[in-house]
Structure formats: structure tokens, C-alpha cells
Amino acid sequence: MMQRGDPDSLSPPSMDYVRLTMTLDPLSEETYDAILFPQGCTIENWQGKETAHTWENLVKTAFGAFVADWTAERFIESYASHADQFDPKGFFLIKKKNEFIASAFAWLPTSKADSGQVHWVCVLPQYQRQGIGKNVVKLVLRHHALKNRCKKAHLVTESFRTNAIAMYEKMGFKINKF
Ligand SMILES: CC(C)(COP(=O)(O)OP(=O)(O)OC[C@H]1O[C@@H](n2cnc3c(N)ncnc32)[C@H](O)[C@@H]1OP(=O)(O)O)[C@@H](O)C(=O)NCCC(=O)NCCS
């Protein structure tokens, strides 16, 4: 069931929601071309433990209570320490002036996967609706296509994230049927 009210509220909805997987097939050049961020934005990749702390602060602001139990240490243990599935060059932070404002990263469910996962997409609330979300997803798609030679991409989201789902659908992702 979809949540009523603010669809992308930061806290988990009180009503039930379901986890959805979405697939982009094929992962073609048109799905990740023309990457363009607002003026003044720069892109940074993973640089180690310090980046994990930046990531933690960013996701806690963007996702709120939903990610309360995610820490820098948990990120490293769950993702960054898996060298066959996590590539520092497939991790993206978007910075404007001295502030980190958005992030997403490429994850390979297995080292031989032909579908690359787009993981932990977020943009700080005050920077949303400027095309930053779409373009950070494109960075991940380009990495999966060119570096991991993936033919498809997928992601996992929650049914109450209607803004995110609208963005992914606009980019060509389709919700997988159960
Ligand atoms: C989902 C999220 C990443 C979108 O980031 P964003 O920078 O605002 O997205 P964009 O500006 O690139 O928007 C792309 C498209 O998504 C849709 N969209 C995004 N936000 C929307 C909103 N508030 N209302 C309606 N449509 C929206 C629109 O179709 C939009 O295209 P348009 O602006 O040309 O109409 C951002 O809202 C966010 O971080 N939310 C909280 C964390 C989250 O839910 N992450 C997704 C986890 S799966």
C-alpha cells in the first residue's frame, strides 16, 4: 500500500510499505549520457574512512530516522571492504562549495553480475529538484556500463518513496513484477 500524505517524508511511514526492485534493461549509453550538475558542483570518489563519515552524515540528513542504525563503520564492513563488489571509483559524492550534498554508489551483487546495483541514492532536501539525483544515478550507471561491463542495472527502493520512483521511471527503470 502507498502511504498517504507526504510521499517522501524522511521518517518511515506508519502504514505498511513494501520493498520494490526496479530494473533498467538494457543499460545503454542513452541512459547515462549528458551528465550535467548545477554550476559549482564537483564530484568526489571514495577516499577511505573519512569518506565513510561524510557519507554517514549525508544519509542521516537525507533519509532521517530510516537509516538511524547506519554508521561509517557499518558502511565499510557492509560495502567498502568488499573489493570485488565495491570500487572506490564507483562511489560518488557531489560537493557544492564546502558542503557534500548528494551521493550514490555502484555495487555488484556478485563479482560476475551482469546487472549492477545503484545503491543509496540521496540528495539533501534543500538541493532537490535541480536534476542532481538523476545525474548522480547516471554516474553510477556509466560506471556499471563502462567499468563493470554490465548489461542491466537494478535498485531496491520502498513503495512510499514516490518521488524517487518517479525519477527512476523517468530514467527508464521499471518496477519488477512479483
Ligand atoms: C529521490 C531523490 C534522490 C531525488 O533527487 P532530486 O535531486 O530531487 O531528483 P531530480 O531533481 O534529479 O529529479 C528527477 C525527477 O524525479 C522526479 N521527482 C523528484 N523529486 C520529486 C518531487 N518532489 N515531486 C515529484 N517528482 C519528483 C521528477 O520526475 C524529476 O524530474 P523533473 O524535475 O524534471 O520533474 C531525493 O528526493 C532524495 O534524496 N530523497 C530522499 C532519499 C531517497 O528516498 N532516496 C532514494 C532511495 S531509493
Side-chain angles (χ1 to χ4, degrees):
M1 284 282 271
M2 286 286 185
Q3 180 206 17
R4 285 175 188 274
D6 178 9
D8 266 2
S9 65
L10 294 177
S11 303
S14 51
M15 290 173 71
D16 286 344
Y17 64 89
V18 289
R19 206 145 261 191
L20 302 170
T21 58
M22 300 182 75
T23 299
L24 178 70
D25 182 13
L27 173 53
S28 58
E29 197 176 336
E30 301 82 71
T31 61
Y32 57 81
D33 67 356
I35 297 174
L36 188 65
F37 287 96
Q39 205 173 10
C41 288
T42 54
I43 302 167
E44 282 194 11
N45 295 118
W46 178 262
Q47 287 164 22
K49 201 169 171 191
E50 199 164 308
T51 309
H53 288 283
T54 303
W55 177 86
E56 180 185 339
N57 292 335
L58 181 55
V59 298
K60 285 203 164 138
T61 308
F63 285 91
F66 201 76
V67 301
D69 53 352
W70 276 92
T71 60
E73 291 71 27
R74 186 170 170 195
F75 185 93
I76 291 170
E77 192 186 321
S78 303
Y79 302 115
S81 58
H82 299 261
D84 53 338
Q85 297 176 275
F86 177 89
D87 181 350
K89 291 200 161 55
F91 177 97
F92 302 98
L93 278 173
I94 308 304
K95 193 175 186 181
K96 188 155 189 195
K97 297 198 175 124
N98 289 323
E99 189 179 18
F100 290 98
I101 64 170
S103 182
F105 68 93
W107 173 251
L108 274 179
T110 70
S111 56
K112 292 194 178 113
D114 73 336
S115 180
Q117 185 165 351
V118 181
H119 229 344
W120 285 92
V121 179
C122 65
V123 178
L124 288 183
Q126 62 271 37
Y127 291 97
Q128 292 175 5
R129 288 317 284 274
Q130 298 175 39
I132 296 171
K134 183 178 65 181
N135 280 287
V136 78
V137 171
K138 283 187 183 186
L139 287 173
V140 174
L141 295 178
R142 185 173 67 182
H143 181 85
H144 274 314
L146 302 183
K147 180 80 196 309
N148 296 329
R149 307 264 168 238
C150 290
K151 305 287 178 234
K152 297 185 274 186
H154 67 279
L155 57 89
V156 180
T157 188
E158 290 85 22
S159 55
F160 66 89
R161 298 191 188 282
T162 52
N163 296 340
I165 292 167
M167 177 178 80
Y168 298 136
E169 284 183 328
K170 213 168 183 179
M171 299 183 74
F173 283 86
K174 293 197 168 55
I175 296 173
N176 295 350
K177 300 265 184 304
F178 293 101

